[in-house]
Amino acid sequence: MYEIAQASQGPQFLHLRVVLLNDGTGVFSSHPVPALADQVHAALSPVDLDGDGLLDVLTLQDAPGGGRNSVLRNAGHGEFLANPGPFWGPADNPVKLDFDAATLDFDNDGTPDVVVTGLRSGMLDVNTRLLLNSGAALTTAAAADGAAFPVVPELAQSFGLQLADLDHDGRDDAVVAVRDELQRNAVLFGSADPQDGVPPDTTPPRIGVPELFSLSVHNRERVTYRARVDDAKVPSRWHDFRFDPQLATYNLTEDALTAHRRRLPYVEFAFGLEADELIALADDDPSKQIAPGVWFGEALWSFSFTIPDIGPEPTGALRWRICAVDAAGNKGCGPVYGASVEPPDTCGDGVVDPWEVCDVLADPACIACAAVCGNGPCEVPVENDWNCAEDCVNPEPTTGDACGDHVCGVGEDLGCPQDCVVCGDLVCEPGEDERCPADCPQAEDSGDDSASTGGATPAEGCGCRESPAGGVLGLCMGLLARRRRRAAAVQ
């Protein structure tokens, strides 16, 4: 959310010099700022002059002594200090009829410098001046009287000012509104003269600290990050940032707008990478996604995207950072931040999502549901064609080797007798008659009547042999009970 500061000219409009605080729902309330109470006679411009991440305010024609400009330095918590230091001293701040101010990083030191303009009070009066900002004070540039524009009649009534690189040469140009019915508005192009020109922009945009954010996100969640991003100009405008014909070819988020082909401030992010790996990715790398920002006032940008379904396997963290490329091609990025990716709470909706083993009301975690024979899917390894033929006839195992798939897989030789012939399980199975006498004892007399008539001794009839510990009957009864338990498991 953002607030509103309103200025007015003249003592009769003192009640209009206010700061309105936004509660986030579109409701504004008045916030008293004593530093504004008896000042602001012409205009104000919000800009972070000292690089502390807080917006300061340039005010015109309002300082004590009349007609001087001032700086209201943001002390945090909604409090402003009137020109402490002074930040803009009298020697560099003579009485003028200034009506507008614009900022740029003229000397490429990372802090916004200031150009002020207004009405000329005399034939040779310098009414448009360049002030260099050290981060602690504004001082007049070394040019004659700090003149930013030529002292010519056409610009004597300058009233409004905007700075932008109009001809894409990397230097800021100026658009001047002239309050004179006999003069036209003017465009002045930044000169390439090394002695008296405008230096090319070589400083990347400033990336502010993001608004507080969660350290964990969820699949399918719509996340939003917010931060202040500017190229030493406030308010930020689209033309402050790079024109990129390749914009539509990048891996942009689903709702990104590309028709303007401006590389607006953006969040770049990836899953399962370390910070240095994200930084190393090229813009067109499919592992990196880009979420362009949406401007919502001053130099504030909002970045939103949806966390995709990434499945049940660990992905590492979501890694992301805020970046911007200015009109001159200078790229700046903030630090890399991380967030763990967690599954959403969809257990119990009847749909087995990629992060769930199952989805039934009986298991509130959806990770250890009991297999239900007859519900359709063959839930391996609990179910197989031996204990649940209804679900597992010719099953297609979902993962790995599954007991009951008619294939003796790795690790099944001892635990899956329906797939693997196991010697010593007291069951004489095909192929064991000669190689496993423990399961298939040979008959003492192959010509016995019982062999020809179909009769059998207890040992021959159940595939068991006598044992001193329990005898033939005990072993056979144990095997029959075992088979009955298996049959009962799926009833």
Side-chain angles (χ1 to χ4, degrees):
M1 62 185 181
Y2 57 91
E3 282 69 48
I4 296 174
Q6 178 175 310
S8 61
Q9 186 174 16
Q12 67 271 33
F13 299 113
L14 285 176
H15 64 286
L16 295 179
R17 301 168 191 173
V18 296
V19 172
L20 302 177
L21 295 182
N22 184 358
D23 67 357
T25 66
V27 176
F28 292 84
S29 59
S30 178
H31 175 71
V33 177
L36 289 174
D38 299 321
Q39 301 185 29
V40 187
H41 296 286
L44 57 83
S45 296
V47 60
D48 180 10
L49 292 169
D50 53 9
D52 63 356
L54 303 175
L55 278 184
D56 310 303
V57 181
L58 285 169
T59 62
L60 305 182
Q61 298 186 49
D62 64 10
R68 295 182 189 272
N69 305 321
S70 185
V71 170
L72 304 183
R73 195 168 183 182
N74 193 337
H77 308 291
E79 298 298 326
F80 290 84
L81 304 178
N83 200 23
F87 201 97
W88 199 349
D92 300 288
N93 186 18
V95 175
K96 294 283 185 179
L97 293 174
D98 293 325
F99 281 96
D100 203 4
T103 58
L104 77 163
D105 189 0
F106 182 85
D107 54 5
N108 289 299
D109 67 349
T111 58
D113 306 307
V114 181
V115 177
V116 291
T117 192
L119 307 182
R120 189 172 298 160
S121 58
M123 290 294 294
L124 299 179
D125 181 39
V126 177
N127 62 321
T128 304
R129 307 176 311 284
L130 171 64
L131 287 303
L132 298 180
N133 177 20
S134 67
L138 292 174
T139 56
T140 305
D145 297 321
F149 299 161
V151 182
V152 295
E154 292 81 1
L155 300 176
Q157 303 296 311
S158 299
F159 198 74
L161 175 65
Q162 289 291 330
L163 302 176
D165 182 6
L166 300 177
D167 55 0
H168 294 222
D169 66 349
R171 296 176 172 82
D172 273 314
D173 310 305
V175 178
V176 184
V178 178
R179 194 175 71 172
D180 187 335
E181 62 181 6
L182 300 179
Q183 302 293 341
R184 299 179 178 180
N185 297 327
V187 174
L188 293 87
F189 291 93
S191 169
D193 187 331
Q195 300 299 323
D196 192 29
V198 177
D201 180 9
T202 60
T203 305
R206 299 190 300 178
I207 312 295
V209 177
E211 183 181 77
L212 291 176
F213 56 88
S214 174
L215 296 179
S216 66
V217 295
H218 297 82
N219 293 352
R220 303 179 183 175
E221 178 185 355
R222 184 76 172 175
V223 297
T224 298
Y225 302 118
R226 298 181 181 91
R228 178 173 287 116
V229 181
D230 67 71
D231 194 36
K233 300 178 179 69
V234 178
S236 292
R237 294 177 172 86
W238 281 15
H239 57 245
D240 295 338
F241 302 99
R242 184 183 181 188
F243 180 80
D244 189 352
Q246 303 302 314
L247 180 63
T249 67
Y250 303 143
N251 190 19
L252 304 179
T253 50
E254 69 280 358
D255 52 356
L257 302 177
T258 60
H260 50 70
R261 289 184 287 180
R262 285 285 176 182
R263 193 70 182 274
L264 301 179
Y266 59 93
V267 161
E268 58 181 29
F269 64 97
F271 297 96
L273 300 181
E274 297 300 326
D276 56 343
E277 293 175 315
L278 172 64
I279 294 172
L281 293 178
D283 284 338
D284 57 357
D285 192 299
S287 299
K288 180 168 76 175
Q289 299 184 62
I290 295 175
V294 175
W295 180 81
F296 65 104
E298 185 245 305
L300 299 172
W301 295 85
S302 174
F303 314 92
S304 298
F305 57 93
T306 301
I307 304 298
D309 287 350
I310 55 176
E313 296 300 322
T315 61
L318 162 68
R319 304 288 184 186
W320 62 277
R321 63 175 181 166
I322 300 173
C323 297
V325 184
D326 66 21
N330 303 302
K331 180 179 178 179
C333 292
V336 176
Y337 299 97
S340 62
V341 180
E342 306 293 340
D345 185 14
T346 58
C347 185
D349 63 0
V351 178
V352 180
D353 294 295
W355 47 87
E356 296 174 336
V357 175
C358 54
D359 197 309
V360 294
L361 294 176
D363 179 12
C366 288
I367 58 175
C369 310
V372 179
C373 185
N375 66 346
C378 184
E379 298 166 286
V380 296
V382 178
E383 293 180 340
N384 52 61
D385 64 343
W386 188 84
N387 63 17
C388 187
E390 184 176 356
D391 291 346
C392 301
V393 173
N394 297 321
E396 295 293 335
T398 56
T399 56
D401 294 314
C403 186
D405 63 359
H406 306 291
V407 177
C408 186
V410 177
E412 290 187 325
D413 53 343
L414 296 179
C416 188
Q418 56 265 48
D419 288 351
C420 304
V421 175
V422 180
C423 183
D425 62 357
L426 305 182
V427 179
C428 186
E429 298 174 281
E432 285 189 320
D433 51 347
E434 295 179 355
R435 289 174 294 184
C436 187
D439 292 348
C440 304
Q442 295 180 356
E444 293 274 341
D445 183 2
S446 59
D448 190 277
D449 289 342
S450 62
S452 60
T453 61
T457 67
E460 294 169 335
C462 65
C464 305
R465 59 190 177 87
E466 296 185 7
S467 168
V472 171
L473 181 60
L475 290 175
C476 290
M477 292 299 293
L479 178 58
L480 291 174
R482 175 179 165 195
R483 289 178 175 172
R484 289 193 184 100
R485 283 197 299 270
R486 288 179 178 173
V490 295
Q491 290 180 355

